[in-house]
Each structure stands twice: as C-alpha cells, then as structure tokens.
Amino acid sequence: MASSRWKMVSQRDAYAETLVALGAERKDVVVLSADLSSSVRTSVFADHFPERHFNIGIAEQNMMGIAAGLAASGKTVFASTFAIFGTGRVYDQVRQSIAYPRMKVNIVVTHAGITVGGDGATHQMIEDIALMRGLPNMTVIVPVDAYETKKAIRAAVSYDGPTYIRLGRSEVPLVTQENDPFEIGKAATMVDGKDVTLVGTGIMVAKCIEASDELRKHGVEARVINMSTIKPLDVKTLVKAARETGGVVTAEEHSVSVGMGSAVALALGENVHVPMRRVGIEDTFGESGESEELMEKYGLTVESIVDAAHDVLRRKGR
Amino acid sequence: MVYTEQLIEQLRERARTVRVRIIEMIFTAKSGHPGGSLSATDIMAALYFHVMKHKPDDPKWEDRDRFVLSKGHAAPALYACLAEAGYFPVEELKTFRKLGSMLQGHPDMRKTPGVEASTGSEGQGLSMGVGMALAAKLDRKLTTTYVLLGDGECDCGQIWEAAMSASFFKLDNLVAIVDRNKLQLDGPTEQIMSIEPLIDKWKAFGWHALEIDGHDFKEILGAFENASQTKGRSTVIIAHTLKGKGVSFMEGAVAFHGKAPNKEQHAQAMKELGVGADGK
C-alpha cells in the first residue's frame, strides 16, 4: 500500500493495547463486541477483563442500545465492529439511543474503506463519515496511524459525549511520532509549504506526504495537513492554510461526494475562495481485490494527488 | 402476597389523577397519544407509587430502580407520574410539546428530571434496559430495571435481539412489561402484523413469562412481586389492557392512538374521570 519508506503498524492492535491499559486504569470502562471481537481486537480486552466485555452476537442494533443503557448508568463504553455494521446498519440506534441523549459511547470501528479488500463492496464502508458527521452531538475521528489511534482512544475517554473512531483493517504507515500532541478538533501540519495545501485523512495522509515529495521535485512546496478530526472540523487551520497557499487538495479513502473533502469544501466556501480539488472514491461502490489494486483502480494514489495539485496550481495562476 | 384494600384504593386514585393529567396535557398541547398513555397508566402508577425504589428529590440516586418507557409515545403517562411523584411541579405539564419545554413530545432524559432514557423511535428501549441491568450487575447493585413495551413495538426485530441477550446474560434484575392493548397505529395488531402467540415467543427466548389483567392492581402488584422473586432469568409481564382505558369513547378506538380530544370530548372525558367543577 505504501512505499518502503514507512513503517507499517496495525491500528487495531494499537486500539487493543490502549483498551487494556484503560481497563486497568478505570473500572468504568466496558467493551461491547458483535461477533467480530477477534477481528476488531476487542478480544484482547476480553482476555484481560472478561467480566467487562460483552459479546452481543450479530445484533449490532441491540449492541448500540445496550451501550446506551450502560452509559446511562455511568459506564464509559466502547462498542466495536466493522465500519459497515457500526454506522449504516445501526444509524437509527446511534441517532436515537446514543447521539440524541449524548451518551458516553465510543463507537470504534475497523475495516473502514475500500482497503478491506477481498470481501468486496458489501463490506467496504465508504459513506460512514457522511452518516456520522451529520449527527448532532457526534464527534468523528479518523486517526492517521497507530500512535494517533492510542491518543484518540484516550482523548475519547475523557471527552463528554459520543465519538465515532474510524480505523482500517490493514497495517498503516506510521506518520507521526509517539510524542506528537493530539487534540480532538485540531488538525496537524505534517509538512510546511506555501504553494498549495494537501489535506489528508487516514491512510491518505501518507500519500499526501509522498505527493508533497513529488511536487517538491517540480519546485512546488506543498503543505500537508492531517485532518484526523472530521467533526468538529478545524476550520481555522484550514482557512489559514488556504489563504497562505492559495489552493487546496483533499484526499480520503471514502466517497468523495460526502466525506472529509466535502466538509472542507463547505467550510472553505464560506470563508475563503481558492481553487480546490477532492481526491477520493467517486460515487460508486467498490469491489473485491487486493488493497493496493483497489487503491490504484479507485484513484487513491500519490499520482491522483499530484495531478490534482497541478490542476489547482494552474487555476491559481488565472 | 395480600394487598390491602387501602393500598389498592390509593393506587386507583393515583391512576385516576394520572389519567386526568394525561387528558389535560394532550388537550392543552392539541396533540399527543392518549390511547397508549391511558392503557399503560395503571402499570406505571403501580411502579411509580408503590413498586419502585426511587427518590423524586434525588433523581440520580445511585440505588434507584430504573424505568424505561420504550413505547415513548406514552410520554404523557410518564410525565404525569413523574409530576405526581414530585420530580417537578404539576404546573409544568401545561408546557407539554410546547417550544422550550422540558416535556418533549417523546421522553428526553437530558431535559426531564426522572426520565431515565430518551425513547420514541420504537423498539430500542429493551436494549437500553439490558445495558442498565448489566451495569447494575457489574456494580453489584440490587436495583431492578423495568421496561415498558408496546405490543405494536414487538414487531421490531431489535426487541427480540434484546430479549435473546437478556436471557443469555441471565438478567433477573430486568423486568419487561408488554402493554398488550391489541391496537397499533394502523389498526388491530393481529391484522397489521400478528405477534401471537406472544407469551410463547417470550418463553422460547428464555424469559419467565406472566400474563395478567393490566388494569387489576392486585394482579399488577402480584406480577411484580413474582418477578422480584425470580432468579436467573428475566421476567416479562404481558399485561392485557384496553387502549384508551378510562375514557369511554377512547376505549378500543384506533382513532385515539395519536389524536387530541376536542373541547366537547375533553369535557366528556373529565366528567367520566370524575373531575368536578373544582377541577379535581
């Protein structure tokens, strides 16, 4: 999926490690699974704290309701499944039982996006960001790598309200440092630049960094922003970058029509007028294939970002 | 268990007052769900005024029993019980469904003291009850969680997911009551989507299942007593009720599932509920 420059680390394992640490620190942490505990790694928590892990079976609606009931009784709840089952399948339960009453439930999903691979379109969730960011009271986080996953999980625990945390299946490039600060709602500038801004989320941040290297070869200094909180969106950082660089490209492993890129476009549209392009999956379902092949076929590549950046640069000149 | 006539009479009087409040609220708001509120009134009156451990002056008391109104459209019955119990002034009931009110059309746990769960989208309350009962087990609290379900709501798959899990987790601190008034919005349950044989379904899901007359306080109290003594599994009480109970023209009338009475109907209802010229 990425060039050899990156160390590849599993976010799922980082999640499990953090859950176990939290389980030891806090007695109020309760974890729910829906027959995917070994895949989402909540099984690791279950091994350590069997009395505080409940497997609800293939009944995600019930899982979300139980999560709400536990939270109403003061528990800090993690409910985990695949992105496809933790959002669309349970949208009403998340809306009514969790988001509306502002329950302290953290919906941590794995296997988001097209890189799920062989399972195909039925399991490749590419519109979850849209569903979750539309919900009042919901916070939407896409940790960029294993370090950020750990920090996001910890931040969610001390956050008043529900969160949606989106992780992938595959190992992902480690693009941050262990000591980098993380705050919900704060975007991080990964690479400085003055000519164009590349805003990435999730695995596309690494692609943006690689794209910035490519662009530098052509004398273009691209700024790279890791937009790991989709909601609340860090509009301040975005507007500043748009003003200073004069053009913006977004990149996400998600439907391009309703994801981070559209959130960014809306925010910029109301604040600063600069040329923009969005890289992501077009308005289409995915299919089976290797992660790398799918990324290539659906345009989630360094090339796409570089091309989009050149297009923005051309339009900037007009 | 023998219940004194005095207790039964007290509960009947409480229920009568609750019914009066329900009609007043819905009449004032010009909208709301009288039918399912009136059918559930006696069950809720028994819970709030005798069965449940709770402290209206300390709504978040840790050792309280929980009540989840899964059939959230019966909110008027819940608000009337809470006001009568002392969670907030009876005066507040006039604001039901009005802009800025703490009394939303369907229960909102963040706005109304005493409301334990935000409900209204059918089918979700039993899962929340399972979560609360699990939390009580984890905390070794001797509290009971009561969930009131509508019979129409038993169409929802999530109810049965929740029923399966309550049984699996052996939640003997969870009691579900089905307000079996036999009518849903579009008509009789057995014509819209049959749920019978209902008691057999609950039994098949591993529940201790009882069937009672949901307007007979001796039977209601007896069933809750029976549930409290049942160990190792959850209890469901199928309470046979009459939709619109207490107001003749609303009884068994599908039309009053979600419709407010007009002025004449309101006067007639007050008369039938024994409200005198003094408004009591």
Side-chain angles (χ1 to χ4, degrees), chain B residues 53-259:
Chain B
K53 288 177 291 172
H54 64 125
K55 291 183 179 173
D57 56 351
D58 184 9
K60 297 287 174 195
W61 177 45
E62 270 195 13
D63 294 320
R64 71 192 186 279
D65 290 332
R66 265 60 168 192
F67 176 76
V68 176
L69 182 65
S70 190
K71 47 173 288 185
H73 57 279
L78 177 59
Y79 298 155
C81 286
L82 292 173
E84 281 302 312
Y87 282 90
F88 49 83
V90 170
E91 277 296 293
E92 282 290 331
L93 296 178
K94 288 180 183 161
T95 68
F96 173 55
R97 285 184 173 240
K98 297 233 161 44
L99 188 66
S101 173
M102 68 149 84
L103 305 177
Q104 295 292 296
H106 291 84
D108 181 335
M109 62 184 287
R110 292 289 187 178
K111 288 202 165 85
T112 318
V115 170
E116 298 284 2
S118 296
T119 52
S121 182
E122 301 287 89
Q124 303 193 19
L126 191 57
S127 300
M128 296 182 212
V130 169
M132 292 175 188
L134 279 175
K137 291 268 180 195
L138 283 173
D139 294 337
R140 297 197 162 71
K141 297 271 187 204
L142 297 172
T143 60
T144 303
T145 299
Y146 297 91
V147 181
L148 182 62
L149 304 168
D151 51 3
E153 197 181 17
C154 292
D155 292 353
C156 300
Q158 191 185 345
I159 293 290
W160 302 101
E161 291 184 1
M164 198 187 292
S165 63
S167 183
F168 181 74
F169 295 126
K170 299 186 172 56
L171 297 176
D172 50 15
N173 55 351
L174 177 69
V175 179
I177 309 101
V178 181
D179 180 8
R180 185 76 177 105
N181 62 31
K182 297 161 201 74
L183 292 177
Q184 55 194 114
L185 193 147
D186 267 345
T189 58
E190 296 318 288
Q191 286 174 29
I192 303 304
M193 178 49 64
S194 172
I195 55 172
E196 290 296 344
L198 187 59
I199 194 161
D200 294 342
K201 287 190 172 79
W202 287 97
K203 283 179 179 167
F205 277 77
W207 285 57
H208 173 53
L210 306 169
E211 220 159 352
I212 61 162
D213 175 345
H215 300 306
D216 181 324
F217 280 107
K218 284 184 184 160
E219 290 197 20
I220 296 171
L221 296 179
F224 285 128
E225 183 68 29
N226 181 311
S228 72
Q229 286 161 6
T230 301
K231 298 296 163 208
R233 55 190 177 145
S234 308
T235 297
V236 62
I237 301 166
I238 296 170
H240 292 278
T241 58
L242 186 56
K243 200 153 180 169
K245 171 77 176 176
V247 178
S248 63
F249 57 89
M250 289 185 178
E251 289 186 351
V254 168
F256 280 100
H257 168 86
K259 194 178 80 171

Side-chain angles (χ1 to χ4, degrees), chain A residues 40-304:
Chain A
V40 300
R41 302 284 193 269
T42 45
S43 56
V44 182
F45 181 89
D47 291 341
H48 285 77
F49 308 101
E51 73 289 352
R52 280 190 276 150
H53 174 263
F54 299 100
N55 199 327
I56 309 303
I58 311 170
E60 293 82 3
Q61 300 182 353
N62 190 33
M63 174 170 76
M64 293 306 175
I66 292 175
L70 284 160
S73 291
K75 301 299 175 194
T76 294
V77 187
F78 286 87
S80 281
T81 178
F82 290 175
I84 193 91
F85 308 128
T87 55
R89 189 180 176 92
V90 292
Y91 179 76
D92 192 51
Q93 284 71 21
V94 173
R95 182 186 193 278
Q96 313 284 1
S97 296
I98 295 172
Y100 176 50
R102 222 170 63 244
M103 291 289 97
K104 205 163 164 167
V105 174
N106 304 298
I107 302 166
V108 183
V109 300
T110 68
H111 295 62
I114 205 160
T115 50
V116 160
D119 280 347
T122 55
H123 285 56
Q124 292 163 346
M125 189 29 138
I126 55 171
E127 68 277 8
D128 54 324
I129 289 176
L131 289 170
M132 293 298 112
R133 90 178 163 91
L135 281 175
N137 291 342
M138 185 59 80
T139 292
V140 180
I141 308 171
V142 185
V144 72
D145 61 12
Y147 286 142
E148 212 173 70
T149 299
K150 292 182 181 184
K151 292 168 198 165
I153 298 294
R154 283 193 171 274
V157 163
S158 37
Y159 191 79
D160 180 27
T163 65
Y164 176 70
I165 300 179
R166 183 190 211 239
L167 308 176
R169 175 185 72 92
S170 320
E171 293 183 333
V172 299
L174 202 59
V175 300
T176 65
Q177 307 289 321
E178 196 164 6
N179 295 323
D180 286 349
F182 172 83
E183 199 181 319
I184 291 174
K186 281 266 159 57
T189 302
M190 312 295 287
V191 179
D192 271 325
K194 58 176 175 39
D195 299 326
V196 63
T197 301
L198 313 178
V199 184
T201 196
I203 55 170
M204 295 308 285
V205 174
K207 301 276 185 202
C208 286
I209 295 172
E210 291 176 41
S212 75
D213 293 344
E214 278 302 307
L215 289 163
R216 196 170 298 116
K217 290 176 193 162
H218 300 92
V220 176
E221 286 182 35
R223 182 178 303 189
V224 177
I225 290 175
N226 167 23
M227 190 59 74
S228 47
T229 310
I230 311 291
K231 187 189 167 193
L233 196 68
D234 186 350
V235 178
K236 205 175 145 194
T237 298
L238 274 175
V239 170
K240 183 168 180 279
R243 286 215 171 98
E244 288 173 1
T245 65
V248 173
V249 173
T250 62
E252 62 196 307
E253 185 198 2
H254 190 274
S255 167
V256 79
S257 32
V258 289
M260 178 274 284
S262 35
V264 168
L266 292 172
L268 290 181
E270 290 186 336
N271 288 284
V272 52
H273 190 231
V274 295
M276 188 183 166
R277 277 280 302 272
R278 291 166 298 139
V279 171
I281 299 158
E282 293 304 324
D283 187 20
T284 179
F285 287 110
E287 63 183 295
S288 293
E290 293 295 330
S291 299
E292 290 262 11
E293 295 170 336
L294 290 163
M295 297 277 283
E296 188 79 29
K297 177 164 179 177
Y298 289 88
L300 305 176
T301 60
V302 173
E303 257 184 336
S304 303

